[in-house]
Amino acid sequence: MAKEYDVVVLGGGTGGYVAAISAAKNGLSVAVVEKDKLGGTCLHRGCIPSKALLRSAEVFQTVKKAEEFGVTVEGSASLNFLKAQERKAKIVEQLTNGIHQLFKQGKIDLYEGKGTILGPSIFSPTAGTISVEFNDGSENEMLIPKNLIIATGSRPRSLKGLPLDEKDVFSSDGALQMEALPKSILIVGGGVIGMEWASMLHDFGVEVTVLEYADRIIPTEDKEISKELTRLFKKKKIKMITSAEVQADTLVKKDGTVAIDAVVKGEKQTFTAEKMLVSVGRSANVENIGLENTDIVVEKGFIQVNDVYQTKESHMFAIGDCIPTLQLAHVAMHEGTIAANFIAGKHVEKLNYDLVPRCIYTSPEIASVGISEDIAKERGHSIKKGKFFFRGIGKALVFGESDGFIKICSDKESEDLLGVSMIGPHVTDMISEAALAQVLDATAFEIGETIHPHPTLSEAFAEAALAVDGNQIHG
């Protein structure tokens, strides 16, 4: 038996379910095929569970510092990690149930099983029919979409020769399922995910060593942000080894420890800990979904698309981590919405990836939008910049979190805002103002002229904007 739909979405992760809801709101008949759980990586193995644990780590540290705020806690603060894991699971369950409810409201059909794209057949003269192999073993079903959106996401990558057993050597997926914290851990990779885990595990009381191949941690962010996080993490006694080329085939697991060699600035060193976490990026899920039955082009492991996310097969689209764009949940959401609106015949605007805010949930937090100072110079901009430190902000001192700063780069000739980088308390909640400023083509002068309420952390953004022209008040 075959069922026809205006849109079938292959993958029910963040991008997939948002695309499905957007298509349904446009009056289209929609089905989603998901072999695991609605919400995908972000909800079950990424954004939400990791941030739930990061919040537990933050609360643990706050309680330990309660005396500084005049609050006496009877006895010493202790951590119940299983309780933290239970809280994480409840949050994930609540949000998952919410998506199921949205599907009911939108009359979106959910097929729980593995979907495979078929070539032209008796069901359809063009490629794109989806064969669904149900998880419960019931008879396969054929779905015939007028349009297909591929949203199959990504998975953690490892180094060649470094197997992930999820017992001693974890991926970020496996680490979220730990039932007990190790005393020490090696983290291979000092990018966004690696540094979030380094921050969290340190705040939980784990001894952390980070091995990063590049010459600095979070190498995709502004150099001054990287330098400040390095300084603050060193104060916390987090060990960070940069320019470290890990020798994957030297891994040894023995007597409850893992050991591995790395060449650091030409010198071979051995690093040992109780556990290891490998965080070296993610690979797109493009295998075993039937792409070989289509004319879809895959290059360097990613599906190739145009500005509205059409593949070479004009009725097939791809969004999210399986295409070569920023691997962020909010990016996948917007890509899914653009694809769904285009399918519905609406006018859509090309997504400007320079305007996408990026957040890192370390302690302190990091957030940025636009381009960094170095990239601005590479693109030929003559820049002027302003920086303001949180230690000059009353609300930051009240919070007891005065580390970090906000940096703004503008074009010297046009006054256009080029990029904003933040490191400090709650900056992931503050970056949206900077993103809106860029969308509206606001200048640093206009931001500085905007009245920011006192006392708030957001005053630092206004001061940084004023500092672009040397007009800051408190610094």
Side-chain angles (χ1 to χ4, degrees):
M1 181 179 176
K3 291 187 178 180
E4 296 184 6
Y5 291 92
D6 293 323
V7 178
V8 171
V9 182
L10 187 57
T14 306
Y17 84 71
V18 169
I21 292 170
S22 298
K25 285 182 178 293
N26 284 325
L28 303 174
S29 59
V30 183
V32 172
V33 182
E34 172 54 56
K35 68 178 182 179
D36 193 1
K37 298 175 182 177
L38 271 182
T41 293
C42 178
L43 180 51
H44 298 280
R45 299 177 296 279
C47 318
I48 300 301
S50 64
K51 277 52 178 182
L53 291 178
L54 278 160
R55 174 60 177 157
S56 292
E58 180 184 26
V59 170
F60 184 44
Q61 288 298 312
T62 300
V63 172
K64 288 170 71 173
K65 294 185 285 189
E67 289 283 352
E68 297 176 17
F69 295 85
V71 178
T72 301
V73 179
E74 294 296 330
S76 59
S78 61
L79 175 70
N80 186 330
F81 186 63
L82 285 179
K83 279 282 187 183
Q85 288 281 37
E86 288 172 9
R87 178 177 181 272
K88 174 203 77 177
K90 286 179 181 178
I91 292 169
V92 170
E93 181 182 12
Q94 181 177 340
L95 291 171
T96 304
N97 291 338
I99 300 172
H100 280 278
Q101 187 59 39
L102 290 171
F103 271 38
K104 287 180 182 178
Q105 292 173 6
K107 297 181 180 178
I108 299 167
D109 292 338
L110 174 63
Y111 292 83
E112 297 179 299
K114 182 182 182 300
T116 303
I117 305 168
L118 304 180
S121 66
I122 59 171
F123 298 106
S124 173
T126 59
T129 296
I130 301 296
S131 172
V132 181
E133 183 181 342
F134 288 102
N135 293 337
D136 63 8
S138 55
E139 186 178 349
N140 286 18
E141 185 139 20
M142 299 294 177
L143 309 182
I144 306 174
K146 292 179 183 176
N147 298 278
L148 174 66
I149 299 177
I150 302 168
T152 46
S154 63
R155 62 190 182 278
R157 195 170 65 216
S158 186
L159 297 175
K160 186 177 181 180
L162 184 55
L164 305 172
D165 61 16
E166 308 296 13
K167 292 173 63 178
D168 297 305
V169 182
F170 292 103
S171 67
S172 55
D173 287 1
L176 283 168
Q177 305 306 318
M178 285 191 293
E179 294 182 356
L181 291 168
K183 292 180 180 178
S184 59
I185 194 164
L186 289 173
I187 298 179
V188 178
V192 174
I193 296 174
M195 297 318 295
E196 286 185 352
W197 274 99
S199 181
M200 177 207 302
L201 291 171
H202 168 270
D203 287 352
F204 277 146
V206 179
E207 182 184 320
V208 177
T209 301
V210 179
L211 303 176
E212 166 56 40
Y213 180 78
D215 61 359
R216 61 188 177 98
I217 58 171
I218 50 169
T220 56
E221 292 297 320
D222 187 275
K223 285 181 179 177
E224 289 189 68
I225 296 292
S226 176
K227 184 178 179 181
E228 179 71 353
L229 187 65
T230 299
R231 183 184 72 83
L232 295 172
F233 273 18
K234 282 183 177 178
K235 281 178 64 176
K236 292 183 176 185
K237 308 300 183 187
I238 296 175
K239 298 174 185 175
M240 290 163 292
I241 315 298
T242 55
S243 300
E245 185 176 351
V246 172
Q247 308 295 294
D249 58 358
T250 64
L251 175 69
V252 175
K253 293 185 280 187
K254 184 179 180 182
D255 299 329
T257 64
V258 294
I260 200 163
D261 293 344
V263 176
V264 183
K265 298 175 182 176
E267 181 182 341
K268 185 176 178 181
Q269 299 181 34
T270 300
F271 298 89
T272 305
E274 188 177 323
K275 303 290 183 182
M276 179 185 293
L277 169 64
V278 180
S279 177
V280 291
R282 300 182 65 85
S283 298
N285 292 324
V286 295
E287 305 89 356
N288 303 315
I289 60 172
L291 293 183
E292 66 277 7
N293 299 321
T294 74
D295 290 330
I296 290 174
V297 176
V298 177
E299 289 182 3
K300 297 180 180 179
F302 294 97
I303 297 172
Q304 301 302 299
V305 294
N306 64 15
D307 291 344
V308 293
Y309 308 106
Q310 277 176 308
T311 67
K312 194 174 179 182
E313 300 261 15
S314 62
H315 64 298
M316 298 187 195
F317 299 73
I319 62 168
D321 285 7
C322 65
I323 66 173
T325 57
L326 291 170
Q327 292 185 324
L328 298 170
H330 45 289
V331 168
M333 290 181 188
H334 279 267
E335 291 170 346
T337 300
I338 290 171
N341 287 341
F342 180 81
I343 289 168
K346 290 185 174 181
H347 172 74
V348 296
E349 294 286 343
K350 176 183 175 181
L351 180 56
N352 182 346
Y353 290 93
D354 281 349
L355 302 184
V356 173
R358 306 173 299 278
C359 298
I360 306 175
Y361 296 84
T362 46
S363 178
E365 294 181 344
I366 294 168
S368 57
V369 67
I371 57 178
S372 68
E373 179 180 350
D374 283 346
I375 292 176
K377 289 176 179 177
E378 287 172 12
R379 293 185 184 180
H381 291 281
S382 177
I383 68 165
K384 56 181 180 177
K385 58 184 178 179
K387 186 193 290 189
F388 196 84
F389 289 84
F390 278 102
R391 61 175 176 263
I393 297 297
K395 187 69 175 287
L397 297 176
V398 169
F399 268 25
E401 299 177 41
S402 58
D403 288 321
F405 58 83
I406 294 178
K407 174 182 174 180
I408 297 177
C409 287
S410 294
D411 185 275
K412 193 176 286 185
E413 296 176 5
S414 68
E415 300 288 338
D416 285 344
L417 200 63
L418 297 174
V420 178
S421 298
M422 306 180 176
I423 178 169
H426 302 280
V427 296
T428 61
D429 295 312
M430 289 171 35
I431 195 64
S432 295
E433 182 184 355
L436 179 61
Q438 281 203 299
V439 169
L440 297 178
D441 288 328
T443 65
F445 172 80
E446 289 168 327
I447 295 167
E449 286 293 297
T450 302
I451 297 174
H452 288 68
H454 174 77
T456 62
L457 295 172
S458 68
E459 289 177 277
F461 187 45
E463 290 276 16
L466 290 169
V468 170
D469 292 306
N471 296 322
Q472 68 271 27
I473 302 299
H474 294 96

